[in-house]
């Protein structure tokens, strides 16, 4: 898996990933946004402004589109999704391997106290063929025990493989990756909304109802770059919640005393759309929080209970003490 992942992902996906963030238009914008937030975070109540992310998401389309109508940010989102899907594929294969090992080793009475059959055969002065058979069985049991005991350590291995190179001084342009996540999430939510709308249409090209590869890719890359805390400092999902609350409040106020039927219908559709967007962001928050659990390796990554989701949902465990706004 290590060699396959290095060749397929590091050789292609991470090269494109690095080149995108190295582009002057992207790099300069991320540096500018990072500086802005650092200088104004007190007056912004520690929350990265929704409008800034929305402006980035829409403004990048001016740099050009593919024949399919995809912006550079669309393509970057798809790239991150591919990286996350690769992680999911590895997990699926590894889980199948552990399941096979469990079925094969279930007849061993005690995995912590496996007797050396070769030595016992020699002590009893059994025939050489029996001793060789016992040695082969010892080797099989040792291999099964080792593979079964590895658990989910392969995720840590995939992090360790790339950590040094991703955090090296020559990749300084990656240090502001966390700043592009807010516009990326807006782009993702818009894509998911469009995908779900296409499910009930005759032409289902691009239809989808879920895409957890994006969350897995984001969680993995943040871990590689050691940017969990930096991203959490943006309190992005709390900012999204505030944005939706303000818009819902404005719609409700416009409804008061309104006698125009068309205006009332427009407000109803607006409220429905806001609820759909809120739900998509809430699903993304939970998906990202869950993905972060796979890569927890220290105290800061241990899940804790939170009283309320950042988007107004019920109490639920978050992936870390910093996974969402307090």
């Amino acid at each position: 898996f290590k060699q396959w992942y290095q060749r397929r992902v590091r050789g292609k996906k991470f090269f494109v990933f690095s080149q995108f963030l190295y582009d002057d238009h992207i790099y300069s914008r991320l540096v500018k946004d990072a500086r802005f937030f650092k200088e104004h975070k007190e007056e912004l109540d520690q929350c990265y402004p929704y409008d800034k992310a929305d402006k980035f998401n829409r403004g990048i389309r001016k740099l050009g589109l593919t024949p399919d109508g995809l912006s550079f940010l669309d393509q970057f989102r798809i790239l991150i999704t591919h990286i996350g899907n690769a992680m999911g594929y590895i997990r699926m294969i590894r889980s199948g391997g552990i399941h096979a090992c469990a079925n094969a080793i279930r007849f061993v009475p005690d995995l912590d106290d496996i007797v050396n059959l070769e030595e016992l055969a020699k002590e009893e002065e059994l025939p050489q063929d029996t001793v060789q058979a016992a040695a082969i069985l010892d080797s099989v049991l040792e291999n099964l025990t080792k593979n079964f005991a590895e658990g989910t350590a392969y995720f840590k291995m995939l992090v360790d493989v790339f950590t040094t190179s991703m955090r090296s001084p020559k990749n300084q342009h990656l240090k502001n990756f966390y700043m592009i996540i807010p516009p990326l999430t807006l782009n993702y939510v818009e894509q998911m909304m469009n995908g779900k709308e296409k499910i009930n249409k005759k032409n289902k090209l691009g239809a989808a109802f879920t895409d957890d590869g994006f969350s897995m890719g984001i969680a993995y890359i943040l871990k590689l770059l050691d940017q969990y805390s930096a991203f959490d400092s943006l309190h992005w999902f709390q900012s999204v919640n505030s944005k939706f609350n303000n818009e819902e409040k404005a719609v409700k106020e416009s409804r008061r005393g309104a006698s125009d039927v068309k205006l009332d219908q427009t407000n109803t559709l607006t409220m429905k759309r806001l609820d759909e967007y809120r739900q998509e962001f809430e699903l993304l928050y939970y998906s990202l929080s869950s993905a972060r659990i796979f890569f927890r390796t220290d105290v800061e990554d241990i899940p804790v209970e939170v009283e309320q989701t950042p988007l107004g949902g019920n109490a639920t465990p978050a992936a870390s003490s910093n996974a969402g706004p307090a």
Side-chain angles (χ1 to χ4, degrees):
F1 283 129
K2 180 178 179 180
Q3 294 177 349
W4 175 85
Y5 198 74
Q6 282 181 312
R7 183 172 64 254
R8 294 297 300 274
V9 178
R10 183 178 183 182
K12 298 179 180 179
K13 303 299 183 182
F14 277 144
F15 175 78
V16 178
F17 172 86
S18 178
Q19 289 299 305
F20 177 82
L21 294 177
Y22 191 76
D23 182 84
D24 288 338
H25 294 91
I26 304 300
Y27 179 75
S28 60
R29 180 61 184 268
L30 293 180
V31 170
K32 181 180 177 182
D33 288 348
R35 186 184 302 115
F36 169 83
F37 182 69
K38 183 178 180 180
E39 294 174 353
H40 299 87
K41 61 182 179 181
E42 295 297 334
E43 57 192 83
L44 292 172
D45 196 23
Q46 306 289 337
C47 294
Y48 186 75
Y50 182 98
D51 294 339
K52 271 277 187 183
D54 187 51
K55 184 178 179 181
F56 189 110
N57 181 36
R58 299 184 185 282
I60 200 171
R61 299 184 70 86
K62 297 178 181 178
L63 298 179
L65 301 174
T66 67
D68 296 329
L70 298 176
S71 68
F72 288 107
L73 196 61
D74 289 323
Q75 296 177 74
F76 190 58
R77 169 181 52 77
I78 293 172
L79 173 69
I80 291 176
T81 300
H82 287 171
I83 294 175
N85 286 339
M87 298 294 294
Y89 174 75
I90 291 174
R91 180 172 181 265
M92 179 182 67
I93 297 299
R94 182 60 187 141
S95 296
I98 292 176
H99 179 70
C101 286
N103 287 334
I105 209 170
R106 60 182 173 172
F107 300 106
V108 178
D110 188 355
L111 296 180
D112 296 325
D113 185 22
I114 298 179
V115 179
N116 191 304
L117 299 177
E118 182 182 7
E119 292 182 359
L120 290 178
K122 289 180 178 179
E123 290 177 2
E124 296 297 328
E125 299 181 353
L126 296 177
Q128 187 61 31
D129 290 343
T130 303
V131 173
Q132 291 179 355
I136 294 173
L137 182 55
D138 285 336
S139 176
V140 171
L141 290 175
E142 181 182 1
N143 186 47
L144 286 173
T145 304
K146 177 182 177 182
N147 291 333
F148 185 72
E150 283 183 354
T152 58
Y154 56 93
F155 273 131
K156 183 178 182 301
M157 179 269 293
L158 292 175
V159 171
D160 294 340
V161 166
F162 301 111
T163 295
T164 303
S165 60
M166 293 289 280
R167 300 181 190 178
S168 67
K170 68 178 182 179
N171 285 325
Q172 281 295 308
H173 59 286
L174 303 180
K175 68 178 182 180
N176 290 318
F177 165 72
Y178 71 98
M179 289 300 303
I180 204 174
I181 296 180
L184 266 177
T185 59
L186 290 178
N187 184 280
Y188 168 83
V189 167
E190 290 176 356
Q191 180 264 336
M192 288 306 303
M193 295 282 289
N194 293 332
K196 289 183 177 181
E197 289 176 354
K198 292 178 180 179
I199 291 178
N200 296 322
K201 293 183 178 180
K202 186 176 181 180
N203 183 8
K204 291 182 169 54
L205 182 63
F209 67 92
T210 184
D211 185 6
D212 54 1
F214 175 76
S215 299
M216 182 67 84
I218 290 290
Y220 178 51
I221 295 172
L222 283 175
K223 184 65 178 180
L224 287 182
L225 299 174
D226 193 24
Q227 294 183 5
Y228 276 165
S229 296
F231 171 65
D232 293 336
S233 70
L234 300 179
H235 295 95
W236 169 238
F237 290 102
Q238 183 175 327
S239 179
V240 172
N241 185 41
S242 298
K243 171 71 174 178
F244 289 157
N245 286 341
N246 292 336
E247 291 193 3
E248 288 179 357
K249 183 179 179 180
V251 172
K252 291 178 180 178
E253 289 180 353
S254 67
R255 281 174 132 176
R256 294 176 182 174
S259 58
D260 191 333
V261 177
K262 290 185 178 180
L263 179 60
D264 188 58
Q265 291 177 344
T266 301
N267 287 335
T268 301
L269 292 174
T270 301
M271 286 294 292
K272 181 181 178 182
R273 194 69 173 174
L274 286 174
D275 288 340
E276 290 174 350
Y277 268 99
R278 185 190 290 274
Q279 183 180 26
E280 286 302 325
F281 268 105
E282 187 172 340
L283 291 172
L284 175 60
Y285 170 73
Y286 288 135
S287 181
L288 180 57
S289 298
S290 300
R292 288 176 61 161
I293 294 175
F294 289 120
F295 305 106
R296 69 169 189 244
T297 55
D298 49 39
V299 175
E300 293 183 356
D301 291 330
I302 296 177
V304 296
E305 296 291 329
V306 295
E307 296 180 356
Q308 183 177 344
T309 74
L311 299 175
N314 297 324
T316 185
S320 77
S321 57
N322 294 322

